Amino acid sequence: MPIEKDFILKGLLQHNYLPFTRPNKEELPPFFTSESFSEQAAFDLTSLPSRKAGYDQLDYKLSLFNGVTRVLSIPHPLPYANLCNHIYINWESLSFITENPNAKIFPEPHDDGRVIIMTGYGGPIHKAHSELNRAFGKRFRVSTDIVNCFPSVYSHAIPWALVGLDFAKQNRDHGEWFNQIDKAARDCKRGETQGIAIGPATSNIITECIFARIDEALRTEFEFVRFIDDYICYCETEDQALNFVRRLEQEAAKYKLHLNARKTEIVRLPQPTVESWLIELVDRQPGENASSTDVFRYLDFAVQLSEKYPNSSVLKYAATAIDNAGHFLFETVNPINYLLSIAFHRVEVLPLLSKQLENAYMRSGGKFYDLTGVNEKLIQILQENIKHQRSDGMAWSLYHLGRFDVPIDLITAESVIATADPLAICSLYWGFKQYQPQVIAYCQSIDTKDVYELDKNWLLLYQVFLDGGITNPYQDKVFEILQKHQVSFMLDKLQLEPDIPDQLEIFSDAISRLS
């Protein structure tokens, strides 16, 4: 489906600025938002002069199922507005990326306003049919990806992809549209030429421009699909499979990208359409009328299975299945304790507690005090994540605690602030008004002469500024313009709708929610 440039601009600003690319937006707690970052606010920002040395970005550490941390980033609003504006103005020259037959995730209009959602599978049945059709008549499958894709992007490769290497090198005038996009991307990261932010959809548009050219060079020789930077190719012979790896390596190198040797694999067909652990989990999924005992047994099985497949998202899938079928948890609150026990060890499960906690909160008459240690366990999970300085673990723990007015002590609050993690501190500021003076004091302690340090905390600083807690720490007028347009990146508690599932909701297609 064609995507209009007005939709692109609005999507980039209001729906895909903060790192919300997973289907259920589980990267950040739901009070974080950019929906009020209007096109007019961004336009007014573009009228301001840009800092010559560029801007830094706010980082947020996301915990993956295998214990690895992925750093997501939120660029400063001014350079981001400039980048979005250049993409908007030149969308006709960029829209070729939406017509790439090999790409399975690309900019397209989604019902919730987003232009990028990290799902290209269409559910398990669709995925199985697609893979079987592509694999039919072939004997080998190649899978590979790019090493550190977004952090490896070379900004000057953007013009190379847009207008060709030779033409770009012969036309280095800063006024050229393709060089302006290059410059705008660099401004988001201190003017550096290496790496782009993981999180905002502007980065997906940039990488799709590069990968579209790589795909174009390989399309006539091979049958393959690509999910962001993950390639899957089906070949008739092993020599052809080896040649695909060689050719992909050659084409990627033209844009200073390199294959991940550890994730490059050639296997003989046939192969299962889904992984073994997923087959086992689906077979054990509790049904619509499952009892709490059934849920416990399912989670027991998932824990055992996670030990067998430590590099797979077994526990997250199991928790997602429970989350989707939350209606049977009205019978008892006990499964919450099991999920809390898992969440203590596996941060990726924390976002999936919302429905169960909402249910329990309503069942307990608006408090958790009659439940089996839920308060204390949430606080322990918070303290564990403070100790390991996990951004998402702190933010989601504080969200759950603040959402239900579960108190935390001053020492714990000060420990959150001591991590200097901006979004964790934002979560403390949002959920616990009694500790807002400590957050304000932290904001006032940041050296205003170090503009990069300000940039690393820009969202926190802006929200406190918006509430009148501090004066503008910058010398420019960015905060004033955002304030003028009533932009806020955090919802008030009263603006959050209760996340209570329909008791008649039918569990379906949980796999499509996997990241």
Side-chain angles (χ1 to χ4, degrees), residues 124-144:
I125 302 301
H126 181 271
K127 177 177 181 287
H129 276 298
S130 297
E131 289 197 1
L132 289 170
N133 287 335
R134 286 192 293 267
F136 186 80
K138 306 299 189 296
R139 300 186 183 278
F140 293 90
R141 184 184 69 198
V142 185
S143 57
T144 187

Side-chain angles (χ1 to χ4, degrees), residues 343-363:
F344 181 86
H345 302 281
R346 304 295 290 266
V347 178
E348 70 271 19
V349 173
L350 270 175
L352 303 174
L353 296 177
S354 294
K355 285 183 182 178
Q356 284 69 34
L357 290 173
E358 292 276 8
N359 291 340
Y361 184 72
M362 299 298 289
R363 283 169 51 84

Side-chain angles (χ1 to χ4, degrees), residues 32-94:
F32 286 109
T33 178
S34 66
E35 289 189 11
S36 58
F37 191 15
S38 65
E39 297 97 318
Q40 187 60 53
F43 178 77
D44 286 357
L45 288 180
T46 62
S47 67
L48 296 177
S50 292
R51 197 187 300 157
K52 289 184 179 181
Y55 298 75
D56 212 331
Q57 52 197 8
L58 182 154
D59 288 338
Y60 174 77
K61 297 184 288 294
L62 188 71
S63 305
L64 305 182
F65 61 84
N66 56 5
V68 175
T69 296
R70 174 176 294 162
V71 179
L72 307 182
S73 299
I74 307 174
H76 185 280
L78 192 150
Y80 185 75
N82 283 330
L83 178 57
C84 291
N85 185 52
H86 285 298
I87 290 173
Y88 169 75
I89 293 172
N90 298 291
W91 180 243
E92 289 185 2
S93 299
L94 302 174

Side-chain angles (χ1 to χ4, degrees), residues 206-248:
I206 287 170
T207 54
E208 283 303 309
C209 290
I210 295 172
F211 282 115
R213 300 310 185 194
I214 295 174
D215 296 349
E216 186 179 28
L218 299 173
R219 190 175 302 140
T220 58
E221 302 177 56
F222 306 98
E223 294 182 29
F224 64 93
V225 292
R226 177 178 52 79
F227 299 88
I228 307 298
D229 66 323
D230 293 327
Y231 280 86
I232 299 175
C233 179
Y234 294 91
C235 303
E236 296 176 0
T237 67
E238 187 172 12
D239 284 344
Q240 187 183 28
L242 290 168
N243 191 37
F244 173 75
V245 174
R246 181 183 62 82
R247 288 283 294 113
L248 175 57

Side-chain angles (χ1 to χ4, degrees), residues 347-403:
V347 178
E348 70 271 19
V349 173
L350 270 175
L352 303 174
L353 296 177
S354 294
K355 285 183 182 178
Q356 284 69 34
L357 290 173
E358 292 276 8
N359 291 340
Y361 184 72
M362 299 298 289
R363 283 169 51 84
S364 65
K367 59 183 183 298
F368 278 141
Y369 299 110
D370 59 338
L371 302 182
T372 310
V374 172
N375 292 354
E376 292 77 9
K377 289 175 181 177
L378 283 171
I379 291 171
Q380 287 183 49
I381 290 172
L382 169 61
Q383 292 170 340
E384 179 72 6
N385 284 287
I386 292 172
K387 182 171 66 176
H388 295 287
Q389 298 194 15
R390 301 183 185 119
S391 301
D392 54 349
M394 290 186 285
W396 275 101
S397 297
L398 288 163
Y399 165 69
H400 291 316
L401 291 164
R403 182 87 168 91

